[in-house]
Amino acid sequence: MSALNMERGVKAMMEQIDAPIASYFNSCVHCGLCADACLFYTETGDPKYTPIHKVEPLRRVWKQEYTFWGKLMSTLGLSRRVTDADLDAWQELVYDSCTMCGRCSAVCPVGNDIAYMVRKVREGFAVSGHATEGLAEAAIRTVNIGSPMGIKAETLKKMVASEAKASGIEIELDKPGVEYLLMLSSAEIMQFHEFIGAVAKVMDHAGATWTISTEAFEATNTGIQIGSSDIARQLVQRVVDVAEKLGVKTVISPECGHAYIAIRWDGPNLIGRPYGFQVKHIVEVLDEFRAQGRLHFDDSKEDMKLTFHDPCQMVRRGGVVEQPRRLLDLCADNFTEMPDSGVWNWCCGGGGGVSTNERAEPLRLKVFSRKKSQLDSIGVKAMVTTCSNCRNMLEEGLEEYGMDMEVLSLTELLAEHLDDSKASKGAEA
Amino acid sequence: MSKRPTVAEHLARQGVSRRAFLKFCAATASMMALPPGMAPAIAEALGQRRRPAVIWLSFQECTGCTESLTRSHSPTIESLIFDVISLDYHHTLQAAAGDAAEHHRERVQEEFAGEYLLIVDGSIPIADGGVYSTIAGMTNLQMLEESAKGAAAIVAVGSCAAFGGIPKANPNPTGAVSVADIIKDKPIINVSGCPPIPVVITGVLAHYLTFGTIPELDKLGRPTAFYGETIHDRCYRRPFYDQGKFAKSFDDAGARNGWCLYELGCKGPTTYNACATTKWNEGTSWPVESGHGCLGCSEPDFWDAGSFYKAVSMPISDLGKLGLAAAAAGAVAGVAVGLHNRHVKAGAKAAHKPLTADELEGDKS
Amino acid sequence: MTDMELLNWARGPALEWATIIFVVGVLVRFLEMSLLGRKPDLSEARASAAGGGWRTVWRRSIPAPGLVKQAPVVIYAGYAFHIGLLIALLFFAPHILLFKDVFGLSWPALPFFVVDAATVIAIVALLVLLVHRLVNPVRRFLSSWVDYLVWAVTFLPLLTGYLAYHRMILPYTEMLAYHMLSVALLLVVFPFTKLMHTFTIFVSRWYNGAVSGRKGVQL
Ligand code: SF4
Ligand code: SF4
Ligand code: SF4
Ligand code: SF4
């Protein structure tokens, strides 16, 4: 018998249900507007993708365990308990067709935070053995090896060394007493490693001290995605331990939306105490440098027509909205907003662990049609973003739809246009 | 059988002129909503009739109905009706008393069996064997049943006889009921009101006497000619209602301007009666005109419809107080349920076993 | 039972029981919900949670961008219904008397023709919403018998109120009695169904908005 079972699943959901969730279920009027906000419905037309329907198992547990009537009914044997078969049937809805983008949460007229509930219902799925295989494996790798892609410290060291060489800037690993500790997502170590060089350039340019830890470098938190606070807590704790050991002032979340909310907003609640340091997204740090006059650009502004893809977790769920726009303004001449930009942006389709889920791929690519029509309406040559997962998903989507467009990292774009001669090296102590 | 004179003969003997009689007939026709041209036909029909025997029984009542019918300032068409009928038995009006009176009633019942008209005012107490009201040793119930047997028709005059009225009001200690609650096999005309409008009583009698038939009745057995519309439908203050102009107290500017009395509890909207058209005291005025809302006196249970000064849209009970009591109970119950929920949740938390990577691994196999 | 007895019963015992069930039910539901509590948020706030909460409480009354185009029926009919209902409920002179009687508070009424129009709008909007619920795939998919029950108990007071006011179909007394009984039914059904959203909507919006507000998300 597996240690993961239904009873544990129901108990986990019971633990998660709080006053907000009870209020959300009490409030839902079945208006279906959340469906109109969710790209999994708008792009497929299948009503089963209605957001509130995705959390039906959670609703059933709430009703049976925490409402007077539900209790009465279940005592009288008039209601059916949530079963393994139910969760099997819902697995696709909970993991494949929700990126926790929170667009539904932003439109629901009664104010239901459905994405919050999806996060919570996954707790029940995870401990009852109903998480998707891809996420389970990623979680196992992250816990056991340190990163969902199985990247080890050795690999990191190699990539960092090569980026240091390429940029000509020394990057000191595990250095105590610096101001910033940079975290990285696996994708930024393996595919988009130029990001490391770009950060090195900017830090050097701004005269900031920073480091990367070989003990805890992975920024993404698979615990959040699979829906296990236990695993998520372990992963956050690693970062906290290292950051406090090194005595940094600020931990930088890299270009990754989910990583950002995991460490910035969920972290303290997972470990049960506030941090002794601050957490900022790289874009927030860059924007602070800008505000402090520590960034200087050459005259070669990017004149390609480009737009910005808002990563859901950064804007709608993270609160970083204006910073990337201010930064783009410094280095790009021909910037156009997408329709529904900022907090109303549409997801790339691969957030919330969907990108880790092979089975979900066809669906994810199908719903990319929303991004396509957004892009078609403005006709740009390139798309800048601040999330490496989005970047991956966007590239795959563009390829699938045969669209010719570049996807750029904002940090990298910015680094390219810095004017080295005016660098404020050591300007600030 | 009957050797009684015709109405015409009797009136001639009483010195009532033909003109006065025609006038009476015309008034009756108009009240019954018949065309004025019907007056001579009514006079004709009525004139040819023999004066019918009428027995008037008074049970649990206040004599208001009789007063209403007889207390007119001058001889009027209402009083004329007594010249038309032969009122053989009526406590208040008859000269005879005691055994003599009762024997007379019995005699009329025998002699005119199947012909006489039975008029009842007052409700009938049936609790405890009907002991709460007796006449000459007979309970009202017994007397009604006995007199109803030979009646051609019954007219229940006043809301007490028609619906139980004030004696039936909560908690109804005497078990008062209406005539129709007891008598099921005779035509009954309910002339409700507390008291009914005198011309309505006479109009109904005139109709019966003229045509020998029961007029068209509503669901509650009331003649639609008089009870077909609500007070509110015909009220002259209705335009103010429609404009939302309401008197808020009995002596504010609204009241002085003659605005609608709805907010002061007028029951006109739910009351079917002819006050607004026939008025009272020979057309002098009527309650709403004199500045007071309708009490709904011609409707069943008007005494139990809450305060006379509460609008129809208001609940009868004090829901504010009730709601507070319910809120107290709800708060206690809610806290109990809520604490139980917390207990259940704490239990789930206590049973929590942290999820490990090994468990996820194990689950795959 | 005569119409008047029915009306007296509706104005009396029926409303009494309905009030008891409503008040006790709503409070129990509310407390069983609230007492589940919520963990304090230990993350460093970027902006005021309460500010975001209050902001969302009112902001959510405005449809999200693009939504009007995407779900015009729900938005337009939804608004029409709620506004119509509120006007009819709160600004019809006889209703204000009832509130005054129960809560001791009163306010000026709107002219009857306004209330009348609002009622018609609410009735039509509800009918449109019903049809939409039956034919639109998402709404149909989401609906169970409870949704139709809730629709019916909301529709009946509007319909009977309208018919009573216009003295249509049934005698006024009888229709008024049905109107009050339908309100009693609504009150009884209220605590056990999504009608609870009337109150919990503010709680939900607040919680959702507080989370966003804390993060500095302007939604
Ligand atoms: S938008 Fe909100 S109220 Fe409407 S169905 Fe979705 S969760 Fe329920
Ligand atoms: S969070 Fe995003 S993907 Fe998930 S249900 Fe809501 S709108 Fe859809
Ligand atoms: S005074 Fe009474 S009967 Fe007259 S309009 Fe007003 S509510 Fe109706
Ligand atoms: S106005 Fe109303 S209460 Fe007054 S006598 Fe007429 S019906 Fe009766």
Side-chain angles (χ1 to χ4, degrees), chain C residues 154-169:
Chain C
T154 312
F155 185 71
L156 284 176
L158 280 162
L159 182 73
T160 52
Y162 181 82
L163 294 177
Y165 178 70
H166 290 281
R167 273 88 182 146
M168 283 156 81
I169 302 184

Side-chain angles (χ1 to χ4, degrees), chain B residues 62-361:
Chain B
C62 67
T63 318
C65 295
T66 302
E67 290 282 333
S68 167
L69 188 59
T70 55
R71 285 292 162 121
S72 306
H73 304 279
S74 56
T76 59
I77 47 172
E78 288 94 65
S79 61
L80 205 99
I81 198 75
F82 290 107
D83 296 319
V84 176
I85 62 173
S86 157
L87 191 55
D88 291 285
Y89 179 91
H90 188 301
H91 279 169
T92 320
L93 303 177
Q94 70 203 1
D99 280 353
E102 294 311 310
H103 286 145
H104 180 62
R105 179 173 61 79
E106 284 158 14
R107 204 170 50 72
V108 173
Q109 281 172 196
E110 256 169 53
E111 196 179 323
F112 298 100
E115 280 178 25
Y116 63 89
L117 185 67
L118 180 63
I119 300 179
V120 178
D121 67 340
S123 62
I124 301 95
I126 57 171
D128 305 322
V131 296
Y132 297 110
S133 177
T134 60
I135 297 163
M138 271 179 114
T139 66
N140 291 170
L141 180 61
Q142 287 166 336
M143 188 177 280
L144 175 64
E145 279 172 343
E146 188 189 291
S147 299
K149 263 190 211 119
I154 304 174
V155 180
V157 166
S159 291
C160 299
F163 307 128
I166 293 176
K168 189 189 164 217
N170 268 337
N172 190 5
T174 67
V177 296
S178 70
V179 173
D181 285 333
I182 294 166
I183 308 300
K184 304 287 182 194
D185 56 352
K186 295 283 172 187
I188 298 170
I189 308 170
N190 283 333
V191 182
S192 64
C194 189
I197 308 168
V199 293
V200 171
I201 305 177
T202 52
V204 169
L205 294 180
H207 181 282
Y208 179 72
L209 297 172
T210 309
F211 302 110
T213 57
I214 306 295
E216 190 199 336
L217 305 177
D218 70 5
K219 286 206 286 204
L220 297 179
R222 298 177 297 196
T224 49
F226 304 107
Y227 299 90
E229 285 174 305
T230 62
I231 299 287
H232 182 74
D233 289 333
R234 289 313 198 94
C235 178
Y236 75 104
R237 297 196 188 209
R238 178 65 183 270
F240 294 119
Y241 173 91
D242 291 331
Q243 291 159 27
K245 290 180 172 165
F246 301 105
K248 309 272 176 195
S249 82
F250 284 108
D251 62 353
D252 67 357
R256 280 188 289 277
N257 290 332
W259 288 358
C260 170
L261 303 167
Y262 183 93
E263 297 198 355
L264 294 171
C266 179
K267 303 295 183 296
T270 53
T271 306
Y272 291 82
N273 205 347
C275 305
T277 40
T278 63
K279 303 196 180 177
W280 285 76
N281 301 326
E282 296 152 78
T284 309
S285 180
W286 64 291
V288 167
E289 191 173 344
S290 65
H292 194 286
C294 165
L295 307 181
C297 78
S298 59
E299 292 296 319
D301 292 339
F302 79 103
W303 207 261
D304 292 327
S307 162
F308 288 148
Y309 303 101
K310 261 194 171 188
V312 198
S313 67
M314 291 181 174
I316 290 174
S317 355
D318 188 342
L319 290 189
K321 239 187 221 146
L322 185 74
L324 276 182
V332 172
V335 167
V337 175
L339 290 179
H340 176 71
N341 276 352
R342 289 175 81 100
H343 176 74
V344 169
K345 187 168 167 175
K349 236 179 218 147
H352 182 95
K353 208 169 120 259
L355 176 66
T356 63
D358 291 346
E359 283 178 318
L360 285 175
E361 185 85 64

Side-chain angles (χ1 to χ4, degrees), chain A residues 24 27-35 50-52 104 107-112 114 117, chain C residues 142:
Chain A
Y24 299 154
S27 302
C28 178
V29 289
H30 286 169
C31 69
L33 288 177
C34 47
T50 301
I52 193 69
C104 50
V107 306
C108 169
V110 299
N112 290 354
I114 305 152
M117 295 199 274
Chain C
L142 284 180

Side-chain angles (χ1 to χ4, degrees), chain C residues 4-18:
Chain C
M4 197 41 94
E5 279 164 348
L6 189 68
L7 179 61
N8 285 351
W9 188 72
R11 290 176 65 208
L15 277 181
E16 277 174 27
W17 280 107

